[in-house]
Amino acid sequence: MDSFFYTIILAGAVAGASTGFLGVYLVGMRIPFIGICISHAAMAGTILAVLLGVNPVFGAMALSVLTATSMAAIPPEKSRLDTNAGLAILFSLMLGLTFLGMGLVKDSRNEILGLLWGNILFVSGESVMVIVATAIVLAVFAMLFNKELKVILFSRQIAAATGVHSGLVYGLFLALCGLIISINIKLIGGMMIFSLITNPAAAAYQLCRGHRSLVLTATVFGMLSAVIGFGISFYLDLPTGACIVLVSTAIFGLSLLARRFRQGD
Amino acid sequence: MAGVSLDVSGVKVVRSSRTILDIQRLQIPAGQFVHIIGTNGAGKTTLMKILCGLLAPDTGHIHFGSTCMTALNSWSKSNLRRHIGYIPQSAEYNSHLPFTVREVAAMGRSSVRPLLTRLNRSDYAIVDQWLQAVGLGDRSGQTFSSLSGGEQQKVLIARAMAQQPSVLMLDEPTSSLDINWKLQIIDLIRRLTAKLNLTTVMISHDIQSLLRKEDRTVLLHAGRVAIDGLAQTVFESSLVRDIYPGLTPQWNNSPDSSPGGD
C-alpha cells in the first residue's frame, strides 16, 4: 500500500469525524436534513461559480455558508416557521437553482455530478489539508463554545431567555456546518453526507449518557464508518460512498440492538 | 442574589392591526411573587417575552431595576438576561437528550459565565448545592430523560437557581404535572424565592390549586390588565366569574408553602 492509500484513509477518517460531530447537534436539534440542504447549496454554488467564471470551490463554500446561516435568522421565539419547513424551502430553492444552472452550463457537468456522488479516490493532498484544517477549526470552536452549544442543544428558548448569546453561537455553528459540508462532499457526496451526519450521531444517542461521551462516540463512529467503509470497498472492489453509508447504517443498527440488549438485562 | 423591581409603562404590542398587549402601568416591586392569569390569547406569554426582553414592544418602556431594557441593544439585552432565571413548560426543551441531571443544572452557570470561558469547580459546587436543595443531589449522574416530569422540573429549578438570578420567570411550570407534583413544585418555588427575596413572575393556568389568598394576582384580559390585586379580591370580581364560570379556588395554604419555611 502506498502513501496515497493512507492519504485517502486520513481524509475519510477526518471527514467522518467532522460530520459525526456535527451530527450530535443537528440530530439533537432535529435538523439533520440541513446536511442534504447544504450539499445542494454547494452544488448550486458550484454551478453559479462555473457560470460566473469564478473558482467553483469558493462558489460552493459561499452559498453553503449563506444557506446554513440563513437558518439562524429564524429565531424560534419570533417565527411562525418551523425549522424543518424552512429547510425544505431552502432545499427546494437550491434544487431549482442547481437544475436551472445545469441547463445553462454548456461544458462538462462532471464537476457538479461529482459533488452529488463524491469520490474519495480522487482526493488530492491539497484537499486533505483543507479537510484537516476545517476539522481543527471545528474542534477549537467546540472547545471554546462548549457550554453555549450544550444549552442551545437542550433548548434554544431557555438559552435565549437566560442571556446565553445563542444567536451568535448558533449562527457561527451553522456557518461551520456549511463550510464543513461543502468541503467534505467532494469525498463523500452530497447524497451520502446526510447519512454520515445522521447515522453515527443517532447511534451515539442510543448508547451514551452525558454530552462528552455523546460527542466522542459520534465522532469515533463517524470516523469508523468512513475507514471501515473505505476498507471494504478497497478489498471487495465496491463503490466507496455506498460502503461508507452502509457501514454507518450498520453501526446504528448494532447500537440499537445493544441498547435493547442492555434494557433487557 | 436579590430581587430587582420590574416596571412596565405604556407598553403596546400590535400585530396585524390587532392590539395583543396594552399595558399602561404594571409595577412589580423587588422580591414580590406575582401570578399572571388569564385565558388563552389574553397576552400572558407576550407579557413574559416583553419582561424577558425577547420581544420589543411597539411603544413603551420596561425597566429592569434602574435599567431601561427597551433602550438597550440586543447584545446588552442578552447580557441583562443573565439575571433572569427562566423555567419553561416541558414542551420548550429537548427532554429526550441523554444529558445528565448535573449537566442540565450546570447550564444555569453557562448564562453567568462570559463567552469563551469554561465552567470551573466553584460553578459545579454551586450546581451541586442547588441539586441538593431540590432533593436530587444523589441523582446528578442519572440522565435527565430518565426522571419523572416533576423531577425534571426540579432540575430546571436547580438550573435557574444556579444562575443566581434577580428575577425568576415561570411559564406554566406545572402544566404537565399531576396535582401532587404541582403542589410540590409550587411550594419549592415559593420557599426558595421567599428565602432569597427573588422577584418572581409566574404564568399559570392552574389557578384553582396554586394560588394563595394573599398572592398578588394580575388578570390579563384582551391584552389589558383587567384586575390587579390580592388573589382573594380578584376571584370575588364579577369579571373573573364571567371568564372562569363555575371556578372555585382551592386556596393553597398548606403549612409547607409558607414563605421562608424549610
Side-chain angles (χ1 to χ4, degrees):
Chain A
M1 276 180 254
D2 57 14
S3 63
F4 177 65
F5 181 87
Y6 294 109
T7 306
I8 291 171
I9 289 281
L10 176 67
V14 176
S18 302
T19 47
F21 175 87
L22 289 181
V24 169
Y25 298 96
L26 299 177
V27 170
M29 288 190 260
R30 300 173 200 253
I31 51 169
F33 189 60
I34 200 169
I36 213 151
C37 184
I38 293 173
S39 53
H40 281 76
M43 283 196 282
T46 304
I47 290 173
L48 289 176
V50 168
L51 288 171
L52 295 170
V54 295
N55 189 332
V57 176
F58 291 124
M61 276 189 206
L63 201 56
S64 299
V65 171
L66 188 68
T67 305
T69 45
S70 65
M71 293 310 299
I74 309 173
E77 70 280 1
K78 287 181 187 166
S79 172
R80 289 182 183 181
L81 189 65
D82 174 69
T83 311
N84 278 305
L87 280 174
I89 291 163
L90 279 172
F91 171 68
S92 57
L93 173 66
M94 294 305 147
L95 202 60
L97 285 176
T98 304
F99 282 112
L100 182 69
M102 282 171 89
L104 295 173
V105 171
K106 301 278 183 261
D107 304 326
S108 165
R109 294 169 184 167
N110 286 346
E111 184 155 14
I112 299 145
L113 293 172
L115 287 181
L116 194 60
W117 303 112
N119 196 337
I120 200 168
L121 297 173
F122 295 126
V123 67
S124 66
E126 191 186 319
S127 54
V128 172
M129 279 170 62
V130 175
I131 288 164
V132 173
T134 48
I136 291 169
V137 170
L138 179 64
V140 171
F141 173 82
M143 279 191 280
L144 290 177
F145 296 104
N146 177 47
K147 67 180 190 309
E148 286 82 12
L149 283 171
K150 272 197 253 186
V151 190
I152 291 169
L153 181 57
F154 183 66
S155 166
R156 280 176 69 199
Q157 275 92 338
I158 290 181
T162 58
V164 173
H165 290 288
S166 56
L168 172 76
V169 177
Y170 186 57
L172 285 173
F173 171 74
L174 290 176
L176 260 177
C177 281
L179 192 67
I180 284 170
I181 292 170
S182 67
I183 283 168
N184 288 323
I185 56 169
K186 253 189 161 175
L187 270 74
I188 304 162
M191 305 298 272
M192 289 183 251
I193 206 160
F194 181 56
S195 316
L196 268 189
I197 286 172
T198 310
N199 296 350
Y205 273 111
Q206 299 302 315
L207 300 175
C208 297
R209 178 194 295 178
H211 177 259
R212 183 180 296 178
S213 127
L214 191 62
V215 166
L216 287 175
T217 309
T219 305
V220 170
F221 280 172
M223 197 185 288
L224 286 177
S225 302
V227 173
I228 297 172
F230 175 70
I232 292 172
S233 91
F234 182 80
Y235 286 108
L236 301 180
D237 194 22
L238 294 170
T240 312
C243 289
I244 291 173
V245 167
L246 290 173
V247 169
S248 75
T249 312
I251 288 175
F252 172 74
L254 290 171
S255 303
L256 200 62
L257 280 177
R259 184 183 166 86
R260 290 268 162 88
F261 185 68
R262 209 163 56 183
Q263 281 175 338
D265 269 353
Chain B
M1 187 166 27
V4 297
S5 61
L6 297 169
D7 188 354
V8 179
S9 57
V11 159
K12 209 171 213 184
V13 179
V14 180
R15 293 287 177 271
S16 309
S17 341
R18 194 172 78 92
T19 303
I20 54 175
L21 199 68
D22 183 2
I23 296 182
Q24 290 310 306
R25 198 73 193 259
L26 177 65
Q27 287 174 296
I28 303 172
Q32 194 172 61
F33 193 114
V34 182
H35 285 277
I36 309 286
I37 64 168
T39 52
N40 290 331
K44 303 186 298 296
T45 302
T46 306
L47 175 61
M48 183 153 283
K49 282 182 181 172
I50 292 242
L51 289 172
C52 289
L54 290 171
L55 185 71
D58 295 305
T59 59
H61 299 283
I62 299 104
H63 279 84
F64 186 95
S66 58
T67 309
C68 181
M69 242 191 196
T70 29
L72 299 177
N73 61 31
S74 62
W75 185 267
S76 306
K77 251 187 226 172
S78 190
N79 285 336
L80 188 72
R81 283 200 288 268
R82 290 177 183 172
H83 303 287
I84 300 174
Y86 176 61
I87 302 177
Q89 308 177 39
S90 58
E92 286 187 27
Y93 51 84
N94 292 320
S95 58
H96 66 286
L97 299 177
F99 282 119
T100 64
V101 165
R102 195 178 192 227
E103 280 177 331
V104 173
M107 287 174 194
R109 300 303 298 165
S110 300
S111 305
V112 181
R113 294 283 168 213
L115 282 172
L116 308 178
T117 58
R118 296 171 73 89
L119 302 189
N120 56 32
R121 278 186 188 179
S122 69
D123 290 311
Y124 282 106
I126 293 167
V127 169
D128 292 338
Q129 176 200 324
W130 280 111
L131 281 174
Q132 288 286 352
V134 300
L136 292 170
D138 55 340
R139 301 178 72 178
S140 61
Q142 251 180 269
T143 51
F144 181 75
S145 56
S146 67
L147 303 183
S148 69
E151 289 167 335
Q152 288 185 352
Q153 283 305 90
K154 279 187 170 184
V155 179
L156 293 185
I157 292 169
R159 192 208 66 81
M161 301 311 274
Q163 198 182 325
Q164 298 176 316
S166 307
V167 173
L168 197 60
M169 302 275 184
L170 303 114
D171 188 2
E172 300 186 45
T174 57
S175 60
S176 59
L177 306 178
D178 66 38
I179 187 65
N180 290 329
W181 271 111
K182 279 184 204 291
L183 294 173
Q184 261 198 61
I185 294 294
I186 195 71
D187 285 349
L188 179 66
I189 290 167
R190 280 182 191 281
R191 211 165 62 224
L192 296 176
T193 54
K195 198 171 172 180
L196 299 164
N197 197 34
L198 285 186
T199 311
T200 308
V201 181
M202 178 159 129
I203 289 181
S204 182
H205 280 298
D206 297 316
I207 46 178
Q208 268 188 297
S209 50
L210 301 185
L211 287 174
R212 293 196 326 208
K213 286 179 186 175
E214 66 274 24
D215 283 340
R216 181 180 172 191
T217 304
V218 175
L219 172 71
L220 286 185
H221 186 55
R224 292 166 192 267
V225 174
I227 312 173
D228 180 356
L230 298 181
Q232 190 169 21
T233 322
V234 171
F235 278 87
E236 280 165 0
S237 74
S238 57
L239 179 62
V240 167
R241 283 198 296 272
D242 288 346
I243 294 174
Y244 300 106
L247 178 79
T248 318
Q250 296 150 8
W251 302 111
N252 173 15
N253 283 328
S254 62
D256 285 344
S257 63
S258 58
D262 259 317

